[in-house]
Amino acid sequence: MFTSIVRELTDRIVDELAPPTTAETDSGQSPRFACLLTSASKVGTDDADILSAIVEVARARNVLDAAQAQLVRTAERAGIPF
């Protein structure tokens, strides 16, 4: 169960952050996060959203780093070779 939740989360993150395709860049219509980043305003209208996204990505990274460390400790206790 946990593995499927992590896989779904990872798939979603990859889908949102994979570099934009040429078609997405040319159309300017994609709602994907990576596409929105490539078209951020140069006059500051997106500043709050960009800063908020930085905080949220750092927050997610901290949680994922802690989860990975816990999983590695669990694997070591279980004697799983890696």
Side-chain angles (χ1 to χ4, degrees):
M1 172 94 176
F2 179 72
T3 302
S4 65
I5 292 169
V6 172
R7 185 174 294 117
E8 287 174 26
L9 173 64
T10 304
D11 287 346
R12 178 65 190 264
I13 291 170
V14 169
D15 289 347
E16 288 295 322
L17 295 178
T21 64
T22 303
E24 286 175 320
T25 303
D26 290 347
S27 76
Q29 300 298 314
S30 177
R32 291 191 322 108
F33 188 64
C35 297
L36 296 174
L37 292 177
T38 62
S39 64
S41 171
K42 304 241 189 289
V43 294
T45 57
D46 304 298
D47 290 1
D49 288 337
I50 292 168
L51 292 172
S52 179
I54 290 169
V55 169
E56 294 306 320
V57 168
R59 184 172 156 244
R61 183 176 177 184
N62 290 339
V63 169
L64 291 172
D65 286 345
Q68 184 177 29
Q70 185 175 10
L71 287 165
V72 168
R73 286 191 303 271
T74 301
E76 288 171 348
R77 280 195 313 270
I80 299 171
F82 50 109

